[in-house]
Amino acid sequence: MNGDLGPAPATADRDVYDRLIADLDASGTHYRLIEHAPEGRTELVSALRGHVLASAAKCLILLVKIGKKQTRYVLAVVPGDARLDLSAVKTLLGASYVALADTGKAEQLAGSVTGTVLPFSYDQRLELIADPALLDCGELYFNAGRLDRSIALASQDYLRLARPRIARIIAT
């Protein structure tokens, strides 16, 4: 396993980054830490990391309404080359409305800024759903709660550690 490559930013992102690294180290999971120019857009950061877009874990935080009174939040994780199907999420959860959460709420729930959201949920209010197409790649890549650091992690280790609900949520 790799340790820290240098000083982390002095923001809330640091807490998420430090927690992720500590959790990966404590689990004994093999991973690679990749340092790169700051970038949060999936297509561009995938090129910086040197992998195919399908191997990126794209993470989107959704606002889900069940009827008129119940609101939930979902962290949807899909391959970087796929498009999230909001209708599929709506059907899966029996929701009356599904949309991307506003940036402020998404960053609060994720504990990091847009473009650095982890494919792990560290907030009990955030339900984690991953598309099974993520398992087609042997290794997943994602920003590590920071714009300048990414993690490469075996998809089976991701499943074991994150324990997401697996459901088809990408557009076909």
Side-chain angles (χ1 to χ4, degrees):
M1 282 231 252
N2 294 339
D4 193 4
L5 292 176
T11 66
D13 298 348
R14 180 183 175 131
D15 294 336
V16 169
Y17 172 80
D18 290 343
R19 182 172 179 180
L20 172 67
I21 298 302
D23 287 351
L24 291 172
D25 287 345
S27 73
T29 302
H30 175 75
Y31 66 93
R32 289 183 293 118
L33 197 53
I34 303 164
E35 196 166 3
H36 52 77
E39 182 55 61
R41 292 168 290 183
T42 305
E43 298 81 8
L44 298 177
V45 75
S46 293
L48 291 172
R49 295 184 296 226
H51 63 82
V52 298
L53 194 53
S55 295
K58 184 166 45 175
C59 305
L60 305 157
I61 297 181
L62 309 174
L63 166 73
V64 177
K65 293 192 180 245
I66 312 292
K68 294 183 180 186
K69 296 186 179 186
Q70 184 183 4
T71 299
R72 305 165 47 177
Y73 292 93
V74 167
L75 170 55
V77 185
V78 300
D81 64 346
R83 204 178 83 232
L84 176 67
D85 183 349
L86 293 176
S87 295
V89 175
K90 187 176 176 183
T91 300
L92 176 69
L93 299 176
S96 53
Y97 176 81
V98 176
L100 291 174
D102 72 71
T103 302
K105 187 65 172 183
E107 290 179 351
Q108 175 194 12
L109 290 167
S112 63
V113 299
T114 301
T116 67
V117 175
L118 299 175
F120 295 88
S121 176
Y122 285 132
D123 189 309
Q124 65 184 14
R125 298 170 294 172
L126 196 56
E127 180 182 354
L128 178 58
I129 302 174
D131 191 274
L134 285 171
L135 308 179
D136 293 344
C137 299
E139 194 167 47
L140 296 176
Y141 295 81
F142 54 91
N143 276 12
R146 295 176 51 168
L147 289 171
D148 64 345
R149 303 267 169 88
S150 290
I151 296 285
L153 178 68
S155 57
Q156 291 303 316
D157 287 333
Y158 168 70
L159 281 179
R160 180 177 54 82
L161 296 170
R163 296 185 185 149
R165 177 177 181 177
I166 303 295
R168 179 70 57 195
I169 56 172
I170 59 173
T172 54

